Amino acid sequence: MSKTPFFILIASMLVISSCNDKKTGDTTPVDYPIEVIDTTHQTLNTNYAATVTGCQTVEIRPQVDGMLTKICIREGDAVRKGQVLFEIDAAQFQSAYDIAEANVNSAEAAVSTAQLVLDSNQELYKEKVISDFELNTAKNELSEAKAKLRLANAELEKAATNLSYTKVKSPVNGVASMIPYRVGALVGSNITEPLVTVSDDGDIFAYFSMAETQMLEMVRQYGSMKDALGNMPEVEFQMSNGEIYPVKGHIDAVSGTINNSTGAISFRAVFPNPDRLLRDGATGAVIIPAVYNNCIVIPQSATYELQDKVFAYKVVNGKANSTEIKIVPNNNGREYIVSAGLEIGDTIVSEGARLLKEGTVINTKNKSK
């Protein structure tokens, strides 16, 4: 009887063992966490870089030219509307006022004299002592004297206004900025830097931009931009140090146009600032919450992307079945809100979707916690 060579027998056993192992791998359930789909409520916060301005910021500039003789405030002071901030040398403006006042007195005397002449001529005219020409001349002289008085009064008013401008006052309540000028500096209406900037920061505005797609998603969620502004939850402000500003605000304005170069639209949020914690020029981020009710939420680890599409693995008849899903653009970095592709009661693989293969048998007892 012929004998089978030993090495051929060993090779045959290895092939049989390999086939058995492959068959076993195709049918043995793999332990992957699974999750049964249900609805929940989810709030997503989205941060937008923002710059802060006071609700009213005014650059204070002199309206007359002259030498700065007095600075009446300190940098960073709280100032009131009408408070004198600076004084400019008033000598030349006081002289102009005195001259204008004297011209008014002279014009008033001329009017009085012209009136006396006219009254006298009217009596003489009744007695036929003077002619029509002389009477009309007296009337014209009175009219001219009154015109000169009006001109003198206008010059006096102008001189008084210029004199008042030598005391530079704040037009608003607010906080003063740094002051780049010192006593003795020559200043005027054409200076490059303002004397000071006064910012009314009782309320502050935070300006930020949002991508057009995000704005459209907001409109879709609330029905219209007007409804979005009226019904949107209060927003928060994250300061530059990472802390959350303790007072919440709300979005009160949106630009009517979209920036052509960036494709973004500008928004404004207003925050009460009773403790003056936020200052004009500060930076931070506006945090906008988006509330989704009765939505499907799944872990991002339950998804994978292929050609700009998002997929999840549903467990169908015990096997992983790749399914395309639609997600809401906003997310918290850990979870997705699913808008299409999954239904209540579906079972999905909740972790490791990127490593999973189509048709893998899943252990359905290994539910995720």
Side-chain angles (χ1 to χ4, degrees):
M1 184 175 75
S2 62
K3 296 182 179 180
T4 302
F6 178 74
F7 70 89
I8 295 177
L9 179 61
I10 293 299
S12 298
M13 292 175 65
L14 289 174
V15 170
I16 294 170
S17 175
S18 176
C19 291
N20 289 338
D21 288 346
K22 184 176 182 181
K23 184 177 181 181
T24 302
D26 287 340
T27 59
T28 302
V30 180
D31 286 338
Y32 275 92
I34 63 173
E35 178 180 315
V36 178
I37 296 299
D38 199 358
T39 58
T40 185
H41 303 299
Q42 181 81 316
T43 299
L44 297 179
N45 291 327
T46 307
N47 291 18
Y48 299 92
T51 56
V52 171
T53 65
C55 64
Q56 190 172 22
T57 301
V58 180
E59 292 183 346
I60 308 298
R61 298 177 183 271
Q63 293 179 273
V64 292
D65 298 344
M67 184 177 69
L68 202 60
T69 58
K70 187 176 182 181
I71 299 175
C72 306
I73 57 170
R74 294 178 298 179
E75 296 168 327
D77 276 356
V79 300
R80 304 179 309 279
K81 181 178 180 180
Q83 179 180 346
V84 176
L85 308 180
F86 303 90
E87 291 185 10
I88 296 173
D89 184 14
Q92 60 175 322
F93 301 102
Q94 183 65 55
S95 297
Y97 177 82
D98 292 341
I99 291 172
E101 188 176 36
N103 287 336
V104 167
N105 292 335
S106 176
E108 287 176 344
V111 168
S112 179
T113 299
Q115 185 66 56
L116 290 174
V117 171
L118 177 60
D119 291 343
S120 175
N121 283 356
Q122 284 176 333
E123 292 296 326
L124 294 174
Y125 180 77
K126 291 178 182 179
E127 297 175 4
K128 301 183 184 296
V129 175
I130 62 174
S131 65
D132 292 343
F133 175 80
E134 290 173 301
L135 178 62
N136 291 332
T137 299
K139 290 180 179 179
N140 291 339
E141 288 176 349
L142 177 59
S143 297
E144 182 180 1
K146 287 181 178 180
K148 289 181 178 179
L149 177 59
R150 287 195 298 272
L151 178 61
N153 279 323
E155 293 291 341
L156 178 62
E157 184 177 350
K158 179 181 178 181
T161 299
N162 287 337
L163 181 60
S164 70
Y165 286 157
T166 61
K167 294 184 183 295
V168 182
K169 300 178 181 180
S170 175
V172 295
N173 297 324
V175 178
S177 69
M178 306 303 285
I179 301 172
Y181 299 93
R182 296 295 177 262
V183 170
L186 289 175
V187 296
S189 57
N190 60 346
I191 57 176
T192 56
E193 287 187 273
L195 294 175
V196 71
T197 299
V198 176
S199 176
D200 180 0
D201 55 3
D203 289 327
I204 64 97
F205 294 143
Y207 289 90
F208 63 97
S209 296
M210 181 183 297
E212 182 181 3
T213 54
Q214 294 171 309
M215 183 270 292
L216 293 175
E217 173 62 23
M218 184 184 298
V219 172
R220 186 200 65 78
Q221 181 182 356
Y222 290 97
S224 69
M225 182 54 67
K226 181 179 179 180
D227 290 337
L229 293 179
N231 300 317
M232 188 181 299
E234 290 183 310
V235 298
E236 295 181 311
F237 185 80
Q238 185 178 38
M239 297 181 290
S240 58
N241 63 358
E243 296 182 3
I244 301 299
Y245 181 63
V247 183
K248 292 184 177 182
H250 65 278
I251 297 176
D252 71 331
V254 57
S255 173
T257 59
I258 297 175
N259 188 306
N260 290 332
S261 59
T262 63
I265 187 169
S266 297
F267 287 77
R268 185 181 74 185
V270 58
F271 294 85
N273 193 30
D275 298 326
R276 302 300 194 271
L277 182 59
L278 297 177
R279 294 296 182 98
D280 184 81
T283 58
V286 173
I287 303 174
I288 302 179
V291 179
Y292 296 86
N293 296 318
N294 299 318
C295 60
I296 293 175
V297 179
I298 64 173
Q300 291 187 7
S301 59
T303 67
Y304 69 95
E305 294 185 17
L306 183 63
Q307 296 181 347
D308 296 328
K309 296 181 179 180
V310 181
F311 295 84
Y313 280 104
K314 287 199 293 188
V315 179
V316 181
N317 297 324
K319 295 183 179 181
N321 182 12
S322 180
T323 303
E324 182 182 356
I325 62 174
K326 302 294 184 183
I327 61 173
V328 172
N330 295 340
N331 65 81
N332 58 12
R334 303 182 306 276
E335 299 167 311
Y336 286 138
I337 296 176
V338 179
S339 59
L342 294 177
E343 302 291 340
I344 298 174
D346 286 345
T347 301
I348 63 168
V349 176
S350 59
E351 291 183 22
R354 293 178 178 85
L355 304 176
L356 197 57
K357 293 183 179 180
E358 183 77 15
T360 301
V361 179
I362 304 298
N363 181 6
T364 57
K365 296 181 180 180
N366 191 27
K367 294 185 178 180
S368 60
K369 296 181 180 179

